[in-house]
Amino acid sequence: MAVTTPTAREIPEARADLAAWAADRGRGGMANWLHCFMSAEGRASYDDLLPPGITTTQALAARTAAGLRASELFYVTADMTALAHHAAASLTDFEMRPEDLPAPVGMLVFEDPPIRNEAAGNQPVRLITWGPWLGHLAIDYWSGTREYLDQVDAAQAAFNANTTPAESRAWLRERFAHVKPGQMADIHPPHGFTYLRTTLIEAGTPDLTDTPEADVALLRLIQATWLLMGQSLATSERVAADRASRRRIQRLGRDYGTEVRLIRLRRARTERGTDPAETPGTREYQHRWVVRGHWKDQWYPSRNAHRPIWISPYIAGPEGAPLIGGEKVFVLAR
């Protein structure tokens, strides 16, 4: 089934619905949903880091609710997502600092799904939220609920085709043995997104040695998106929710903002006539050549460290001169 990503103007209302679900401590809230559908390992993921009596599912829900109330909202267009996906492939380890984030606490929606999270059932990640938690930077990944349910339906059909009804009932009893009668949550949360997982990033340069390749690829995409958002190749404009959405948000009784920062790819300029590494007039060229997009470690005296910046692809050399190489180049111009 096709899934429509919310528009930028719909994000404030989606945030309000998601926050209300996270704050609900009843059977229909996030904590109980996590308790019902997370694996036994997942339900105990952070128990050793939490105060006695606080479970992982309770802490995740409480932190999500608090974070969403304080989040700055971002919406990344398809062109920016495509560039981030391309640039992420060559991004290497670097020391992440608070100033590398577009906001200390945020929620970001991708117009197009950027990557499928193999570690979470190959679900396309449509939304991320982030903020400080347990001394780390916590990044939460969310898919579209409809996509999640489509995958559940497909898995159930395959499962039923290879098991008897009795075996199916036995599996369900074992899978949900931890859920008390009357406690089962609705598999379809009302806000349109499904929680996949949380990644904790330590301060400084993350040690990704033992991190699964799929998780590294997803983190690289998030890092690349954040870095690109801070460069001049991206434009940012504020858009507000429509009047009906603002009224509904106000009825929820919470003081949520209703503006979203819409991140677009700036119209590219093709540089011709000079090699940027050369001083004008010091060398004359008889051909043009492709300079591929790449990351460059830029020194920032203010942080006394390097930070990656993306150098967009461009064609260098005199206008009208032969183009050597003849290679296809990934260029986004809008």
Side-chain angles (χ1 to χ4, degrees):
M1 177 180 291
V3 177
T4 302
T5 301
T7 65
R9 295 185 185 278
E10 293 171 334
I11 297 308
E13 187 173 355
R15 184 263 294 273
D17 287 338
L18 188 59
W21 177 68
D24 185 351
R25 299 183 180 181
R27 187 176 70 87
M30 180 179 179
N32 189 54
W33 189 93
L34 294 173
H35 173 76
C36 292
F37 296 112
M38 288 183 80
S39 65
E41 180 181 4
R43 295 194 303 272
S45 297
Y46 306 111
D47 285 359
D48 59 333
L49 301 176
L50 296 169
I54 303 297
T55 66
T56 291
T57 55
Q58 292 170 339
L60 280 172
R63 195 259 303 164
T64 299
L68 285 168
R69 285 195 289 272
S71 286
E72 186 163 355
L73 306 182
F74 301 88
Y75 186 88
V76 177
T77 63
D79 289 337
M80 275 298 299
T81 299
L83 177 58
H85 199 175
H86 173 73
S90 57
L91 184 62
T92 56
D93 291 343
F94 70 98
E95 182 183 355
M96 287 187 61
R97 297 190 180 183
E99 59 267 29
D100 295 326
L101 304 177
V105 183
M107 169 178 164
L108 184 151
V109 177
F110 294 95
E111 185 178 22
D112 281 348
I115 199 169
R116 290 188 175 270
N117 184 2
E118 296 176 13
N122 204 32
Q123 289 288 332
V125 175
R126 293 188 173 271
L127 165 70
I128 64 167
T129 52
W130 70 88
W133 192 47
L134 302 176
H136 294 69
L137 171 66
I139 306 175
D140 309 305
Y141 305 125
W142 308 75
S143 72
T145 295
R146 183 63 263 170
E147 292 160 318
Y148 173 76
L149 295 178
D150 285 347
Q151 190 176 64
V152 169
D153 291 342
Q156 183 177 4
F159 179 78
N160 291 340
N162 296 297
T163 59
T164 65
E167 290 172 332
S168 179
R169 289 192 295 271
W171 181 87
L172 287 171
R173 283 195 297 270
E174 181 180 358
R175 172 64 179 80
F176 297 105
H178 63 287
V179 180
K180 298 178 181 178
Q183 188 185 16
M184 178 58 71
D186 186 350
I187 196 172
H188 191 326
H191 47 72
F193 294 101
T194 296
Y195 170 84
L196 297 177
R197 61 184 298 152
T198 294
T199 297
L200 294 185
I201 306 299
E202 60 193 5
T205 305
D207 182 4
L208 305 176
T209 306
D210 299 323
T211 305
E213 183 177 344
D215 286 355
V216 173
L218 188 54
L219 176 60
R220 289 280 186 257
L221 180 69
I222 303 306
Q223 292 176 318
T225 302
W226 286 339
L227 290 171
L228 293 170
M229 286 168 62
Q231 293 189 216
S232 60
L233 56 80
T235 66
S236 174
E237 64 180 283
R238 292 189 179 274
V239 298
D242 59 33
R243 181 179 298 179
S245 292
R246 293 198 300 269
R247 289 177 175 174
R248 184 171 181 275
I249 292 169
Q250 291 173 355
R251 286 198 296 271
L252 290 176
R254 299 192 182 277
D255 185 24
Y256 294 120
T258 58
E259 285 193 342
V260 181
R261 285 179 58 186
L262 177 62
I263 311 299
R264 301 180 189 271
L265 184 66
R266 188 185 301 275
R267 180 179 294 274
R269 293 185 301 175
T270 302
E271 302 292 341
R272 293 184 173 90
T274 61
D275 176 356
E278 297 288 335
T279 302
T282 61
R283 183 177 299 183
E284 184 175 346
Y285 291 96
Q286 304 301 320
H287 57 263
R288 292 180 298 152
W289 66 96
V290 171
V291 178
R292 292 180 176 274
H294 59 281
W295 292 101
K296 174 184 176 182
D297 281 339
Q298 179 73 38
W299 177 259
Y300 285 83
S302 60
R303 60 191 279 164
N304 196 34
H306 288 88
R307 180 178 187 265
I309 61 170
W310 177 254
I311 307 300
S312 297
Y314 63 93
I315 298 175
E319 181 73 33
L323 177 65
I324 61 173
E327 300 170 281
K328 293 183 179 180
V329 189
F330 184 95
V331 178
L332 290 174
R334 292 290 183 271

